[in-house]
Coordinates of all heavy atoms in Angstrom, one line a residue:
M19 N 15.0 10.2 3.8 CA 14.2 11.4 3.5 C 14.0 12.2 4.8 O 13.8 11.6 5.8 CB 12.9 11.1 3.0 CG 12.9 10.5 1.6 SD 11.3 10.2 0.9 CE 11.2 8.5 1.2
S20 N 14.2 13.5 4.7 CA 14.1 14.2 6.0 C 12.7 14.4 6.6 O 12.5 14.1 7.7 CB 14.7 15.6 5.8 OG 13.9 16.3 4.8
G21 N 11.7 14.7 5.7 CA 10.3 14.7 6.2 C 10.1 15.6 7.3 O 9.3 15.4 8.2
G22 N 10.8 16.8 7.5 CA 10.7 17.6 8.6 C 9.5 18.5 8.6 O 9.5 19.5 9.4
H23 N 8.6 18.4 7.8 CA 7.4 19.2 7.7 C 6.2 18.4 7.6 O 6.3 17.2 7.2 CB 7.5 20.2 6.5 CG 7.8 19.4 5.2 ND1 9.1 19.0 4.9 CD2 7.0 19.2 4.1 CE1 9.0 18.4 3.7 NE2 7.8 18.5 3.3
D24 N 5.0 18.9 8.0 CA 3.9 18.0 8.1 C 2.8 18.4 7.0 O 2.2 17.4 6.5 CB 3.2 18.2 9.4 CG 4.1 17.7 10.6 OD1 4.8 16.7 10.3 OD2 4.1 18.3 11.6
K25 N 2.7 19.6 6.6 CA 1.6 19.9 5.7 C 2.2 20.8 4.6 O 3.2 21.5 4.7 CB 0.6 20.8 6.3 CG -0.1 20.1 7.5 CD -1.3 20.8 8.0 CE -1.9 20.0 9.1 NZ -3.3 20.0 9.0
S26 N 1.7 20.6 3.4 CA 2.2 21.3 2.2 C 1.7 22.7 2.3 O 0.8 23.0 3.0 CB 1.7 20.6 0.9 OG 0.3 21.0 0.8
E27 N 2.4 23.5 1.6 CA 2.1 25.0 1.5 C 0.7 25.1 0.7 O 0.0 26.2 0.9 CB 3.2 25.8 0.9 CG 4.4 25.8 1.8 CD 5.7 26.3 1.1 OE1 5.6 26.9 0.0 OE2 6.7 26.2 1.7
T28 N 0.5 24.1 -0.1 CA -0.8 24.3 -0.9 C -2.0 23.7 -0.2 O -3.1 23.9 -0.5 CB -0.6 23.5 -2.3 OG1 -0.4 22.1 -2.0 CG2 0.4 24.0 -3.1
G29 N -1.7 22.9 0.9 CA -2.8 22.3 1.7 C -3.6 21.2 1.2 O -4.5 20.7 1.8
D30 N -3.2 20.6 0.1 CA -3.9 19.5 -0.6 C -3.6 18.2 0.0 O -4.3 17.6 0.8 CB -3.8 19.5 -2.1 CG -2.4 19.6 -2.5 OD1 -1.5 19.7 -1.7 OD2 -2.2 19.6 -3.7
T31 N -2.4 17.7 -0.3 CA -2.0 16.3 0.1 C -1.0 16.5 1.2 O 0.0 17.3 1.1 CB -1.4 15.6 -1.1 OG1 -2.3 15.6 -2.1 CG2 -1.0 14.2 -0.7
P32 N -1.0 15.7 2.3 CA 0.0 15.8 3.4 C 1.3 15.4 2.8 O 1.5 14.5 2.0 CB -0.5 14.7 4.4 CG -1.9 14.5 4.1 CD -2.1 14.7 2.6
C33 N 2.4 16.2 3.3 CA 3.7 15.9 2.8 C 4.2 14.5 3.0 O 4.9 13.9 2.2 CB 4.7 16.9 3.5 SG 4.4 18.7 3.0
S34 N 3.8 13.9 4.1 CA 4.2 12.6 4.5 C 3.7 11.6 3.4 O 4.5 10.7 3.1 CB 3.7 12.2 5.8 OG 2.2 12.2 5.9
E35 N 2.5 11.8 2.9 CA 2.0 10.9 1.8 C 2.9 11.0 0.5 O 3.1 10.1 -0.1 CB 0.5 11.2 1.6 CG -0.4 10.7 2.6 CD -1.8 10.9 2.3 OE1 -2.2 11.0 1.1 OE2 -2.6 11.0 3.2
V36 N 3.2 12.3 0.2 CA 3.9 12.5 -1.0 C 5.4 11.9 -0.9 O 5.9 11.3 -1.8 CB 4.1 14.0 -1.2 CG1 5.0 14.3 -2.4 CG2 2.7 14.6 -1.7
L37 N 6.0 12.1 0.3 CA 7.4 11.6 0.5 C 7.3 10.1 0.5 O 8.3 9.5 0.1 CB 7.9 12.2 1.8 CG 8.2 13.7 1.7 CD1 8.7 14.2 3.1 CD2 9.1 14.1 0.6
D38 N 6.2 9.4 1.0 CA 6.1 8.0 0.9 C 6.1 7.5 -0.5 O 6.5 6.3 -0.8 CB 4.9 7.5 1.7 CG 5.1 7.6 3.2 OD1 6.2 7.7 3.7 OD2 4.0 7.6 3.9
K39 N 5.5 8.3 -1.4 CA 5.3 7.8 -2.8 C 6.5 8.3 -3.7 O 6.5 8.1 -4.9 CB 4.1 8.5 -3.3 CG 2.8 8.0 -2.7 CD 1.6 8.6 -3.2 CE 0.4 8.3 -2.4 NZ -0.8 8.9 -2.9
L40 N 7.5 9.0 -3.1 CA 8.5 9.6 -3.9 C 9.3 8.8 -4.8 O 9.5 9.0 -6.0 CB 9.5 10.5 -2.9 CG 10.4 11.5 -3.7 CD1 9.6 12.5 -4.5 CD2 11.2 12.3 -2.6
Y41 N 9.8 7.6 -4.2 CA 10.6 6.7 -5.1 C 9.8 6.1 -6.2 O 10.2 5.9 -7.3 CB 11.2 5.6 -4.2 CG 12.5 6.1 -3.6 CD1 12.6 6.3 -2.3 CD2 13.7 6.3 -4.3 CE1 13.7 6.8 -1.6 CE2 14.9 6.8 -3.7 CZ 14.9 7.0 -2.4 OH 16.0 7.5 -1.8
T42 N 8.5 5.8 -5.9 CA 7.6 5.2 -6.9 C 7.4 6.3 -8.0 O 7.4 6.0 -9.2 CB 6.3 4.8 -6.3 OG1 6.5 3.9 -5.1 CG2 5.5 4.0 -7.3
Y43 N 7.3 7.6 -7.6 CA 7.1 8.7 -8.5 C 8.4 8.8 -9.4 O 8.2 8.9 -10.6 CB 6.9 9.9 -7.7 CG 6.8 11.2 -8.6 CD1 5.6 11.5 -9.2 CD2 7.8 12.0 -8.8 CE1 5.5 12.7 -10.1 CE2 7.8 13.2 -9.5 CZ 6.6 13.5 -10.1 OH 6.6 14.6 -10.9
L44 N 9.5 8.7 -8.8 CA 10.8 8.8 -9.5 C 10.9 7.7 -10.6 O 11.4 7.9 -11.6 CB 11.9 8.8 -8.6 CG 12.2 10.1 -7.8 CD1 13.2 9.9 -6.7 CD2 12.7 11.2 -8.7
D45 N 10.4 6.5 -10.1 CA 10.5 5.3 -11.0 C 9.5 5.4 -12.1 O 9.5 4.5 -13.0 CB 10.4 4.0 -10.2 CG 11.5 3.8 -9.3 OD1 12.6 4.4 -9.6 OD2 11.4 3.1 -8.4
G46 N 8.5 6.3 -12.1 CA 7.5 6.3 -13.1 C 6.5 5.2 -12.9 O 5.8 4.8 -13.9
E47 N 6.4 4.7 -11.7 CA 5.5 3.6 -11.4 C 4.2 3.9 -10.7 O 3.4 3.1 -10.3 CB 6.3 2.5 -10.6 CG 7.4 2.0 -11.4 CD 8.3 1.0 -10.6 OE1 8.1 0.9 -9.4 OE2 9.2 0.4 -11.2
L48 N 3.9 5.2 -10.5 CA 2.7 5.6 -9.9 C 1.5 5.5 -10.9 O 1.7 5.8 -12.0 CB 2.7 7.0 -9.3 CG 3.4 7.2 -8.0 CD1 3.4 8.7 -7.6 CD2 2.7 6.4 -6.9
E49 N 0.3 5.2 -10.3 CA -0.9 5.3 -11.2 C -1.1 6.7 -11.6 O -0.7 7.7 -10.9 CB -2.1 4.8 -10.4 CG -2.0 3.3 -10.0 CD -3.1 2.9 -9.1 OE1 -4.0 3.7 -8.8 OE2 -3.1 1.7 -8.8
E50 N -1.8 7.0 -12.7 CA -2.0 8.4 -13.2 C -2.5 9.3 -12.2 O -2.0 10.4 -12.1 CB -2.9 8.3 -14.4 CG -3.1 9.6 -15.1 CD -1.8 10.2 -15.7 OE1 -0.9 9.4 -16.1 OE2 -1.6 11.4 -15.6
G51 N -3.6 9.0 -11.4 CA -4.1 9.9 -10.5 C -3.1 10.3 -9.4 O -3.0 11.4 -9.0
N52 N -2.3 9.3 -8.9 CA -1.4 9.6 -7.9 C -0.2 10.4 -8.5 O 0.3 11.3 -7.8 CB -0.9 8.3 -7.3 CG -1.8 7.6 -6.3 OD1 -2.6 8.3 -5.6 ND2 -1.8 6.3 -6.3
Y53 N 0.2 10.1 -9.7 CA 1.3 10.8 -10.3 C 0.9 12.3 -10.4 O 1.7 13.2 -10.0 CB 1.5 10.2 -11.7 CG 2.6 11.0 -12.4 CD1 3.9 10.6 -12.3 CD2 2.3 12.0 -13.3 CE1 5.0 11.3 -12.9 CE2 3.3 12.7 -14.0 CZ 4.6 12.4 -13.8 OH 5.6 13.0 -14.5
T54 N -0.3 12.6 -10.9 CA -0.7 14.0 -10.9 C -0.8 14.7 -9.6 O -0.4 15.8 -9.5 CB -2.1 14.0 -11.7 OG1 -2.0 13.4 -12.9 CG2 -2.6 15.4 -11.8
E55 N -1.2 14.0 -8.6 CA -1.3 14.5 -7.2 C 0.1 14.8 -6.7 O 0.2 15.9 -6.2 CB -2.1 13.5 -6.4 CG -2.2 13.8 -4.9 CD -2.7 12.6 -4.2 OE1 -3.8 12.1 -4.6 OE2 -2.1 12.2 -3.2
V56 N 1.0 13.9 -6.9 CA 2.4 14.1 -6.4 C 3.0 15.3 -7.1 O 3.7 16.2 -6.6 CB 3.2 12.8 -6.5 CG1 4.7 13.1 -6.2 CG2 2.6 11.8 -5.5
K57 N 2.8 15.3 -8.5 CA 3.5 16.4 -9.3 C 2.9 17.7 -8.8 O 3.7 18.7 -8.7 CB 3.2 16.1 -10.7 CG 3.9 17.1 -11.6 CD 3.6 16.8 -13.1 CE 4.3 17.9 -14.0 NZ 4.1 17.8 -15.3
A58 N 1.6 17.8 -8.6 CA 1.0 19.1 -8.2 C 1.5 19.5 -6.9 O 1.8 20.7 -6.6 CB -0.5 19.0 -8.2
H59 N 1.6 18.6 -5.9 CA 2.1 18.8 -4.6 C 3.6 19.4 -4.7 O 3.9 20.4 -4.1 CB 2.1 17.6 -3.7 CG 2.5 17.8 -2.3 ND1 1.7 18.1 -1.2 CD2 3.8 17.8 -1.8 CE1 2.4 18.3 -0.2 NE2 3.7 18.1 -0.5
L60 N 4.4 18.7 -5.5 CA 5.8 19.1 -5.6 C 6.0 20.5 -6.2 O 6.8 21.2 -5.7 CB 6.6 18.1 -6.5 CG 6.8 16.7 -5.8 CD1 7.5 15.8 -6.8 CD2 7.7 16.8 -4.6
E61 N 5.1 20.8 -7.0 CA 5.1 22.2 -7.7 C 4.8 23.3 -6.6 O 5.2 24.4 -6.8 CB 4.2 22.3 -8.9 CG 4.7 21.4 -10.0 CD 3.7 21.4 -11.2 OE1 2.5 21.7 -11.0 OE2 4.0 20.8 -12.3
G62 N 4.0 22.9 -5.6 CA 3.6 24.0 -4.7 C 4.2 23.9 -3.3 O 3.9 24.6 -2.4
C63 N 5.1 22.9 -3.1 CA 5.6 22.7 -1.7 C 7.2 22.7 -1.8 O 7.7 21.7 -2.2 CB 5.2 21.4 -1.1 SG 5.7 21.0 0.5
S64 N 7.8 23.7 -1.4 CA 9.3 23.9 -1.5 C 10.0 22.8 -0.7 O 11.0 22.2 -1.2 CB 9.7 25.3 -1.0 OG 9.1 26.2 -1.9
P65 N 9.6 22.5 0.5 CA 10.4 21.4 1.2 C 10.3 20.0 0.5 O 11.3 19.3 0.4 CB 9.7 21.4 2.6 CG 9.1 22.7 2.8 CD 8.6 23.1 1.4
C66 N 9.2 19.7 0.0 CA 9.1 18.4 -0.7 C 9.8 18.5 -2.0 O 10.4 17.5 -2.5 CB 7.7 18.0 -0.9 SG 6.8 17.5 0.5
L67 N 9.8 19.6 -2.7 CA 10.6 19.8 -4.0 C 12.0 19.6 -3.7 O 12.7 19.0 -4.5 CB 10.2 21.1 -4.6 CG 10.8 21.3 -6.0 CD1 10.3 20.3 -7.0 CD2 10.4 22.7 -6.6
D68 N 12.5 20.2 -2.6 CA 13.9 20.0 -2.2 C 14.3 18.6 -2.0 O 15.3 18.1 -2.5 CB 14.3 20.9 -1.0 CG 14.2 22.3 -1.3 OD1 14.2 22.8 -2.5 OD2 14.2 23.1 -0.3
E69 N 13.4 17.9 -1.3 CA 13.6 16.4 -1.0 C 13.6 15.7 -2.3 O 14.4 14.8 -2.5 CB 12.5 16.0 -0.1 CG 12.7 14.6 0.5 CD 13.8 14.5 1.5 OE1 13.9 15.5 2.3 OE2 14.4 13.5 1.6
Y70 N 12.6 16.0 -3.2 CA 12.5 15.3 -4.5 C 13.8 15.5 -5.3 O 14.4 14.6 -5.8 CB 11.4 15.9 -5.3 CG 11.4 15.5 -6.8 CD1 11.0 14.3 -7.2 CD2 11.8 16.4 -7.8 CE1 11.0 14.0 -8.6 CE2 11.8 16.2 -9.1 CZ 11.4 14.8 -9.5 OH 11.5 14.6 -10.8
G71 N 14.4 16.7 -5.2 CA 15.7 17.0 -5.9 C 16.8 16.1 -5.4 O 17.6 15.5 -6.2
L72 N 16.9 16.0 -4.1 CA 17.9 15.2 -3.5 C 17.7 13.7 -3.8 O 18.7 13.0 -4.2 CB 17.9 15.4 -2.0 CG 18.8 14.4 -1.2 CD1 20.3 14.8 -1.5 CD2 18.6 14.7 0.4
E73 N 16.6 13.2 -3.7 CA 16.3 11.8 -4.0 C 16.5 11.5 -5.5 O 17.0 10.4 -5.8 CB 14.8 11.4 -3.6 CG 14.6 11.6 -2.1 CD 15.3 10.7 -1.2 OE1 15.9 9.7 -1.6 OE2 15.5 11.1 0.0
E74 N 16.2 12.4 -6.4 CA 16.4 12.2 -7.8 C 17.9 12.1 -8.1 O 18.3 11.3 -8.8 CB 15.7 13.4 -8.6 CG 15.8 13.1 -10.1 CD 15.2 14.3 -10.9 OE1 15.2 15.4 -10.4 OE2 14.6 13.9 -11.9
A75 N 18.7 13.0 -7.4 CA 20.1 13.0 -7.7 C 20.7 11.7 -7.2 O 21.6 11.1 -7.8 CB 20.8 14.2 -6.9
V76 N 20.3 11.2 -6.0 CA 20.8 9.9 -5.4 C 20.4 8.8 -6.4 O 21.2 7.9 -6.7 CB 20.2 9.7 -4.0 CG1 20.5 8.2 -3.6 CG2 20.8 10.7 -3.1
K77 N 19.1 8.8 -6.8 CA 18.7 7.7 -7.7 C 19.5 7.7 -9.0 O 19.9 6.6 -9.5 CB 17.2 7.8 -8.0 CG 16.6 6.7 -8.9 CD 15.2 6.8 -8.8 CE 14.6 5.8 -9.7 NZ 15.0 4.4 -9.5
K78 N 19.8 8.8 -9.6 CA 20.5 8.9 -10.9 C 22.0 8.4 -10.6 O 22.6 7.8 -11.4 CB 20.5 10.3 -11.4 CG 19.2 10.6 -12.1 CD 19.2 12.1 -12.6 CE 17.9 12.4 -13.3 NZ 17.9 13.8 -13.8
L79 N 22.6 8.8 -9.5 CA 23.9 8.4 -9.1 C 24.1 6.9 -9.0 O 25.0 6.2 -9.5 CB 24.4 9.1 -7.9 CG 25.9 8.8 -7.4 CD1 26.8 9.3 -8.5 CD2 26.1 9.4 -6.1
V80 N 23.1 6.3 -8.2 CA 23.1 4.9 -8.2 C 22.9 4.2 -9.5 O 23.5 3.2 -9.8 CB 22.0 4.4 -7.1 CG1 21.8 2.9 -7.1 CG2 22.3 4.9 -5.7
A81 N 21.9 4.7 -10.3 CA 21.7 4.0 -11.6 C 22.9 4.1 -12.5 O 23.2 3.1 -13.2 CB 20.5 4.8 -12.2
K82 N 23.6 5.2 -12.4 CA 24.8 5.4 -13.2 C 25.9 4.3 -12.8 O 26.6 3.8 -13.7 CB 25.3 6.8 -13.0 CG 26.6 7.1 -13.9 CD 27.1 8.5 -13.6 CE 28.4 8.7 -14.3 NZ 28.9 10.1 -14.1
H83 N 26.0 4.1 -11.6 CA 27.1 3.2 -11.1 C 26.7 1.7 -10.9 O 27.6 0.9 -10.8 CB 27.8 3.8 -9.9 CG 28.5 5.1 -10.2 ND1 29.6 5.2 -10.8 CD2 28.0 6.3 -9.9 CE1 29.9 6.5 -11.0 NE2 29.0 7.2 -10.4
C84 N 25.4 1.5 -10.7 CA 25.0 0.2 -10.3 C 24.0 -0.5 -11.2 O 23.6 -1.6 -11.0 CB 24.4 0.2 -8.8 SG 25.6 0.8 -7.7
G85 N 23.5 0.3 -12.2 CA 22.4 -0.2 -13.0 C 22.8 -0.9 -14.3 O 22.0 -1.0 -15.1
C86 N 23.9 -1.5 -14.3 CA 24.4 -2.1 -15.5 C 24.0 -3.5 -15.7 O 23.9 -4.0 -16.8 CB 26.0 -1.9 -15.6 SG 26.5 -0.3 -15.5
D87 N 23.8 -4.3 -14.7 CA 23.5 -5.7 -14.7 C 22.1 -5.9 -14.9 O 21.3 -5.5 -14.1 CB 24.1 -6.4 -13.5 CG 25.6 -6.3 -13.3 OD1 26.3 -6.2 -14.3 OD2 26.0 -6.2 -12.2
P88 N 21.7 -6.6 -15.9 CA 20.3 -6.9 -16.1 C 19.8 -8.0 -15.1 O 20.6 -8.9 -14.6 CB 20.2 -7.6 -17.5 CG 21.6 -8.0 -17.8 CD 22.5 -7.2 -17.0
V89 N 18.6 -7.9 -14.6 CA 18.1 -8.8 -13.7 C 17.6 -10.1 -14.4 O 16.9 -9.9 -15.4 CB 16.9 -8.2 -12.9 CG1 16.2 -9.1 -11.9 CG2 17.3 -7.0 -12.2
P90 N 17.9 -11.2 -14.0 CA 17.4 -12.5 -14.6 C 15.9 -12.5 -14.6 O 15.3 -12.1 -13.6 CB 18.0 -13.6 -13.7 CG 19.2 -13.0 -13.0 CD 18.8 -11.6 -12.8
L91 N 15.3 -13.0 -15.7 CA 13.9 -13.0 -15.8 C 13.1 -13.8 -14.8 O 12.1 -13.5 -14.3 CB 13.5 -13.5 -17.2 CG 14.0 -12.7 -18.4 CD1 13.7 -13.3 -19.7 CD2 13.4 -11.2 -18.3
D92 N 13.8 -14.9 -14.3 CA 13.1 -15.8 -13.4 C 13.4 -15.4 -11.9 O 13.0 -16.1 -11.0 CB 13.4 -17.2 -13.6 CG 14.9 -17.5 -13.5 OD1 15.7 -16.6 -13.6 OD2 15.2 -18.7 -13.3
L93 N 14.2 -14.3 -11.6 CA 14.5 -14.0 -10.3 C 13.3 -13.7 -9.4 O 13.3 -14.3 -8.3 CB 15.4 -12.8 -10.3 CG 16.0 -12.3 -8.9 CD1 16.7 -13.4 -8.2 CD2 16.8 -11.0 -9.0
R94 N 12.4 -13.0 -9.9 CA 11.2 -12.7 -9.1 C 10.5 -14.0 -8.6 O 10.1 -14.1 -7.4 CB 10.2 -11.8 -9.9 CG 9.0 -11.4 -9.1 CD 8.1 -10.4 -9.9 NE 7.0 -10.0 -9.1 CZ 5.8 -10.6 -9.0 NH1 5.6 -11.8 -9.6 NH2 4.8 -10.1 -8.3
D95 N 10.3 -14.8 -9.6 CA 9.6 -16.2 -9.2 C 10.4 -16.9 -8.2 O 9.9 -17.5 -7.3 CB 9.4 -16.9 -10.5 CG 8.4 -16.3 -11.4 OD1 7.5 -15.5 -11.0 OD2 8.4 -16.6 -12.6
K96 N 11.7 -17.0 -8.4 CA 12.6 -17.7 -7.4 C 12.5 -17.1 -6.0 O 12.4 -17.8 -5.0 CB 14.0 -17.7 -7.8 CG 14.3 -18.6 -9.0 CD 15.8 -18.5 -9.4 CE 16.1 -19.5 -10.5 NZ 17.5 -19.4 -10.9
V97 N 12.5 -15.7 -5.9 CA 12.5 -15.0 -4.7 C 11.1 -15.3 -4.0 O 11.1 -15.6 -2.8 CB 12.8 -13.5 -4.8 CG1 12.5 -12.8 -3.5 CG2 14.2 -13.4 -5.2
L98 N 10.0 -15.1 -4.8 CA 8.7 -15.3 -4.2 C 8.5 -16.8 -3.7 O 7.9 -17.1 -2.7 CB 7.6 -14.9 -5.2 CG 7.6 -13.4 -5.5 CD1 6.5 -13.1 -6.6 CD2 7.2 -12.7 -4.2
G99 N 9.1 -17.7 -4.5 CA 9.0 -19.2 -4.1 C 9.7 -19.4 -2.8 O 9.2 -20.2 -2.0
R100 N 10.9 -18.9 -2.7 CA 11.6 -19.1 -1.5 C 11.0 -18.4 -0.3 O 11.1 -19.0 0.9 CB 13.1 -18.6 -1.7 CG 13.9 -19.5 -2.6 CD 15.3 -19.3 -2.7 NE 16.0 -20.1 -3.6 CZ 17.2 -20.0 -4.1 NH1 17.8 -18.9 -3.7 NH2 17.7 -20.8 -5.0
L101 N 10.4 -17.2 -0.5 CA 9.7 -16.6 0.6 C 8.5 -17.4 1.0 O 8.3 -17.6 2.2 CB 9.2 -15.2 0.2 CG 10.4 -14.1 0.1 CD1 9.8 -12.9 -0.5 CD2 10.9 -13.8 1.5
A102 N 7.7 -18.0 0.1 CA 6.7 -18.8 0.5 C 7.0 -20.1 1.1 O 6.4 -20.5 2.2 CB 5.9 -19.2 -0.9
Q103 N 8.2 -20.7 0.7 CA 8.7 -21.9 1.4 C 9.1 -21.5 2.8 O 8.7 -22.3 3.7 CB 9.9 -22.4 0.6 CG 10.5 -23.6 1.2 CD 11.8 -24.1 0.5 OE1 12.1 -23.5 -0.5 NE2 12.3 -25.2 0.9
A104 N 9.8 -20.4 3.0 CA 10.2 -20.1 4.4 C 9.0 -19.7 5.3 O 9.0 -20.1 6.4 CB 11.2 -18.8 4.3
R105 N 8.0 -19.1 4.7 CA 6.8 -18.8 5.4 C 6.1 -20.1 5.9 O 5.7 -20.2 7.0 CB 5.8 -17.9 4.6 CG 4.6 -17.5 5.3 CD 3.7 -16.6 4.5 NE 4.4 -15.6 3.7 CZ 4.5 -15.5 2.4 NH1 3.9 -16.5 1.7 NH2 5.1 -14.5 1.8
N106 N 6.0 -21.1 5.0 CA 5.3 -22.4 5.3 C 6.1 -23.1 6.4 O 5.6 -23.7 7.3 CB 5.2 -23.2 4.1 CG 4.1 -22.6 3.1 OD1 3.3 -21.9 3.5 ND2 4.3 -23.0 1.8
E107 N 7.5 -23.1 6.2 CA 8.3 -23.7 7.2 C 8.1 -23.0 8.6 O 8.0 -23.7 9.6 CB 9.8 -23.7 6.8 CG 10.1 -24.6 5.7 CD 11.5 -24.4 5.1 OE1 12.2 -23.6 5.6 OE2 11.8 -25.1 4.2
Q108 N 8.1 -21.7 8.6 CA 7.8 -21.0 9.9 C 6.5 -21.3 10.5 O 6.4 -21.6 11.7 CB 8.0 -19.5 9.7 CG 7.7 -18.7 10.9 CD 8.9 -18.9 12.0 OE1 9.9 -19.2 11.7 NE2 8.4 -18.8 13.3
L109 N 5.5 -21.4 9.7 CA 4.1 -21.7 10.2 C 4.1 -23.1 10.8 O 3.5 -23.4 11.7 CB 3.1 -21.6 9.1 CG 2.8 -20.1 8.6 CD1 1.9 -20.2 7.4 CD2 2.1 -19.4 9.8
A110 N 4.8 -24.1 10.1 CA 4.8 -25.5 10.6 C 5.6 -25.5 11.9 O 5.2 -26.2 12.8 CB 5.6 -26.3 9.6
R111 N 6.7 -24.8 12.0 CA 7.4 -24.7 13.3 C 6.5 -24.1 14.5 O 6.4 -24.7 15.6 CB 8.7 -23.9 13.3 CG 9.8 -24.6 12.6 CD 11.1 -23.9 12.7 NE 11.2 -22.6 12.1 CZ 11.5 -22.3 10.9 NH1 11.8 -23.3 10.0 NH2 11.5 -21.1 10.4
E112 N 5.8 -23.1 14.1 CA 4.9 -22.5 15.1 C 3.8 -23.4 15.5 O 3.4 -23.5 16.6 CB 4.3 -21.1 14.6 CG 5.3 -20.1 14.5 CD 4.8 -18.8 13.7 OE1 3.6 -18.8 13.3 OE2 5.6 -17.9 13.6
A113 N 3.2 -24.2 14.5 CA 2.2 -25.1 14.8 C 2.6 -26.2 15.7 O 1.9 -26.7 16.6 CB 1.6 -25.7 13.5
R114 N 3.8 -26.7 15.4 CA 4.4 -27.8 16.3 C 4.7 -27.3 17.7 O 4.4 -28.0 18.7 CB 5.7 -28.3 15.7 CG 5.5 -29.2 14.5 CD 6.8 -30.0 14.2 NE 7.9 -29.1 13.8 CZ 8.2 -28.6 12.6 NH1 7.5 -29.0 11.6 NH2 9.2 -27.8 12.4
A115 N 5.1 -26.0 17.8 CA 5.4 -25.4 19.2 C 4.1 -25.3 19.9 O 4.1 -25.3 21.1 CB 6.1 -24.2 19.0
E116 N 3.0 -24.9 19.3 CA 1.7 -24.7 20.0 C 0.9 -26.0 20.3 O 0.2 -26.0 21.2 CB 0.9 -23.8 19.1 CG 1.4 -22.4 19.0 CD 0.5 -21.5 18.0 OE1 -0.4 -22.1 17.5 OE2 0.9 -20.3 17.9
S117 N 1.2 -27.0 19.5 CA 0.4 -28.3 19.7 C 1.0 -29.0 21.0 O 2.2 -28.9 21.2 CB 0.4 -29.1 18.5 OG 1.7 -29.6 18.2
P118 N 0.1 -29.7 21.6 CA 0.6 -30.5 22.8 C 1.6 -31.7 22.3 O 1.3 -32.2 21.2 CB -0.7 -31.1 23.4 CG -1.8 -30.8 22.5 CD -1.3 -29.9 21.5
Q119 N 2.5 -31.9 23.1 CA 3.5 -32.9 22.7 C 2.8 -34.3 22.8 O 2.2 -34.7 23.7 CB 4.7 -32.9 23.7 CG 5.5 -31.6 23.6 CD 6.2 -31.5 22.3 OE1 6.5 -32.4 21.6 NE2 6.4 -30.2 21.9
A120 N 2.9 -35.0 21.7 CA 2.4 -36.4 21.6 C 3.4 -37.3 22.3 O 4.6 -37.2 22.2 CB 2.2 -36.9 20.2
P121 N 2.9 -38.3 23.1 CA 3.9 -39.3 23.7 C 4.6 -40.1 22.7 O 4.1 -40.4 21.6 CB 2.9 -40.2 24.5 CG 1.5 -39.9 24.1 CD 1.5 -38.6 23.3
A122 N 5.9 -40.3 23.0 CA 6.8 -40.9 22.1 C 6.6 -42.4 22.2 O 6.2 -43.1 23.0 CB 8.2 -40.6 22.4

């Protein structure tokens, strides 16, 4: 995202906040209040509207060519489980490195 402007022409929500929420907006995953806020901003801010058009086109292109494979239902749980395991292993390594060495 280019984000080369700082304030919307309507003066309500900063452009940076809108652009940060753009993909979530495109995915239809914003909460109702945020959705309305972003939509109103896009209607009044030409630079953000241009950015929205570009991002929407890219998202549609990617979905058209890469969105065919369904995600396995248990993938999220597996990924989160592995992340938690890696985090615990890292914390254990850090704890060992910080603790004084016990005599062998």
Side-chain angles (χ1 to χ4, degrees):
M19 289 185 262
S20 63
H23 52 288
D24 295 326
K25 297 188 182 227
S26 75
E27 295 168 9
T28 61
D30 51 357
T31 306
C33 295
S34 59
E35 287 182 27
V36 170
L37 295 176
D38 285 344
K39 298 174 184 176
L40 194 54
Y41 278 106
T42 311
Y43 176 82
L44 285 168
D45 291 339
E47 296 175 352
L48 277 179
E49 296 174 0
E50 183 61 36
N52 285 329
Y53 178 85
T54 304
E55 176 184 310
V56 170
K57 183 177 180 185
H59 181 97
L60 291 173
E61 290 172 352
C63 181
S64 297
C66 285
L67 186 59
D68 291 343
E69 190 73 32
Y70 166 77
L72 174 63
E73 299 299 338
E74 184 178 37
V76 169
K77 184 167 177 53
K78 285 180 180 179
L79 183 64
V80 169
K82 179 179 176 183
H83 295 286
C84 302
C86 302
D87 298 329
V89 177
L91 297 175
D92 62 340
L93 179 61
R94 181 178 187 274
D95 292 334
K96 286 181 181 179
V97 170
L98 290 175
R100 289 189 182 164
L101 287 172
Q103 180 183 1
R105 186 179 313 114
N106 290 337
E107 290 171 359
Q108 180 64 31
L109 290 172
R111 282 192 296 274
E112 290 172 1
R114 284 193 301 270
E116 291 176 0
S117 66
Q119 297 293 332

